[in-house]
Amino acid sequence: MPVLKLKPIHPDMLFNGFVGANVAFAYQQIGLFDVIKKGENVTIEEIAVRTDSHLSKLQGLLKAGEALGYFHFNKDGTMNVTEMGEELRQMLGYFTWSVGGYGEMFRELGNLTKSARPWGHLRNEGMVALGADMNNRSFMEKLLFDVLDHLHVNSIADFGCGNGGRLITWAERYSHINGVGVDISADAIGMAEEQVKMHGLENRLKMVCANVLDTFRTDKFHSILEEVELVSSFMMLHDLYNISDLRETLFDRLREAFPNVKYFLIADTVQKPSLEELEQLPIFNVGYELLHNYMGVYIPKKEEYDELFARAGLAVEKCIEFGTPYTYLYLLKV
């Protein structure tokens, strides 16, 4: 029998982790880390005003954070964010995704196990999109710029665009680029359209609420897609991979839908290694794989993606680790 390097998680840590995850999402909900700067000493009363929070409830929320090691209370009545609290600041996207986006589904795992009940209504797609965008800004954006800064393209299509954060960032960084975002979630597209308008990018970015598959099943979107030179897909390829009659023809269909495409920019999270190979559990992957198991979605191994791209005749120009554990960014030349 293989010897596991992983140490079991004691139930007390499990319970406190559950509480802490919900507390972390509460900080995101009230915008706590938006109003406390790194290194700043501030009173709870000041935080209450800045976040429009009830003082007594806020005190309890911050005391829980102190117990968890994220804040330090000083003798003069002020508090500040600890070093571990600064790490939490960067990782809030994970808690927005999990607690905000899938919290109800996590609570229903037992009932879902014993029945064929649908799960889609248990997911808050807006929070899923927001959490993904937060993680993109925290961990992925700089890595992505290192790739995009060296490309010469004028039009980008982003499949599964979520709240539009990626396209908006790209449009602001690259003033010559136009883009189209496609997402099946009306909530996500609604958020994206608001953000596009807020940033004054209506003339350069178009958001489309549609199933990605519809973009190359009909001619409806041809005029929007015909000039696109780069097609991006972030954390979505596993869904397309699971459509058996599409898997081997996906990139052929994309080439047909995008006659001027030069590159595919693909990012996705793959299966984590076997438990025998892990020394500690990474953030995200256990929950990610668990939820997709309940959705009936197989998470491919990295080797399976490598083989898929090779069979499609795509040249891997770059493949880099992409912020979130066991997530990779591929730049594929057509």
Side-chain angles (χ1 to χ4, degrees):
M1 178 180 293
V3 178
L4 296 184
K5 302 175 185 177
L6 292 171
K7 294 182 179 179
I9 298 176
H10 194 279
D12 60 3
M13 297 295 292
L14 198 63
F15 182 87
N16 289 328
F18 169 78
V19 173
N22 283 274
V23 166
F25 179 57
Y27 295 152
Q28 165 61 21
Q29 286 179 302
I30 68 173
L32 179 67
F33 285 101
D34 293 333
V35 302
I36 305 180
K37 298 178 182 178
K38 183 177 182 179
E40 179 184 22
N41 292 329
V42 59
T43 66
I44 296 179
E45 289 78 10
E46 289 176 302
I47 297 173
V49 171
R50 296 179 187 180
T51 61
D52 192 27
S53 299
H54 292 281
L55 181 60
S56 61
K57 295 175 182 177
L58 179 64
Q59 285 174 325
L61 194 61
L62 295 176
K63 282 292 183 182
E66 180 189 29
L68 294 165
Y70 300 128
F71 306 113
H72 175 71
F73 285 82
N74 304 304
K75 292 182 179 180
D76 63 0
T78 64
M79 58 162 285
N80 57 275
V81 182
T82 65
E83 183 177 341
M84 188 61 70
E86 291 298 335
E87 288 199 32
L88 177 62
R89 184 199 297 270
Q90 296 300 313
M91 294 188 175
L92 278 182
Y94 289 119
F95 300 96
T96 302
W97 178 89
S98 60
V99 180
Y102 287 103
E104 190 172 357
M105 188 170 174
F106 274 120
R107 288 191 296 274
E108 289 293 317
L109 290 179
N111 290 328
L112 291 172
T113 302
K114 298 194 293 182
S115 71
R117 292 173 55 199
W119 54 265
H121 67 287
L122 300 174
R123 175 172 62 185
N124 184 321
E125 294 178 339
M127 287 294 102
V128 171
L130 177 59
D133 184 46
M134 292 169 66
N135 278 351
N136 173 61
R137 293 178 184 276
S138 291
F139 310 119
M140 302 171 177
E141 196 169 74
K142 182 181 183 303
L143 297 169
L144 186 58
F145 288 156
D146 288 342
V147 174
L148 287 177
D149 284 352
H150 301 286
L151 293 183
H152 301 287
V153 295
N154 296 306
S155 181
I156 294 177
D158 188 26
F159 280 180
C161 66
N163 69 352
R166 282 188 302 273
L167 275 175
I168 290 169
T169 300
W170 297 346
E172 291 182 331
R173 184 176 180 91
Y174 311 108
S175 59
H176 63 287
I177 282 181
N178 294 318
V180 55
V182 182
D183 203 290
I184 197 172
S185 167
D187 289 342
I189 287 296
M191 295 171 66
E193 289 175 336
E194 290 179 8
Q195 290 297 313
V196 167
K197 186 175 181 180
M198 186 181 303
H199 287 80
L201 294 169
E202 300 97 320
N203 293 332
R204 294 174 53 203
L205 299 181
K206 181 175 179 59
M207 299 295 161
V208 176
C209 184
N211 187 321
V212 165
L213 302 182
D214 291 338
T215 61
F216 50 86
R217 281 177 175 162
T218 70
D219 293 330
K220 178 179 178 181
F221 303 101
H222 180 72
S223 62
I224 301 174
L225 307 182
E226 62 180 348
E227 299 301 324
V228 169
E229 296 174 307
L230 184 147
V231 176
S232 64
S233 171
F234 286 72
M235 315 309 164
M236 183 180 167
L237 183 58
H238 58 275
D239 291 311
L240 301 177
Y241 188 93
N242 274 265
I243 304 173
S244 57
D245 62 349
L246 175 66
R247 186 181 307 150
E248 297 302 325
T249 62
L250 172 62
F251 290 101
D252 290 333
R253 297 190 192 188
L254 287 172
R255 289 185 183 103
E256 183 178 350
F258 298 91
N260 290 298
V261 66
K262 298 177 180 177
Y263 299 97
F264 294 113
L265 190 65
I266 307 289
D268 210 351
T269 301
V270 302
Q271 279 189 39
K272 69 181 183 303
S274 66
L275 295 182
E276 292 83 3
E277 299 175 73
L278 291 174
E279 295 188 0
Q280 65 179 40
L281 284 178
I283 192 170
F284 184 65
N285 300 86
V286 172
Y288 179 77
E289 292 182 14
L290 171 63
L291 289 173
H292 280 82
N293 180 273
Y294 272 71
M295 297 173 192
V297 176
Y298 171 74
I299 301 300
K301 300 176 182 177
K302 182 178 182 298
E303 294 78 14
E304 292 176 293
Y305 279 155
D306 292 337
E307 293 168 4
L308 176 67
F309 301 146
R311 290 196 301 272
L314 300 171
V316 179
E317 293 224 333
K318 286 185 182 295
C319 177
I320 62 173
E321 295 181 352
F322 198 45
T324 291
Y326 305 108
T327 301
Y328 295 89
L329 177 70
Y330 287 87
L331 177 65
L332 306 167
K333 187 171 178 58
V334 177

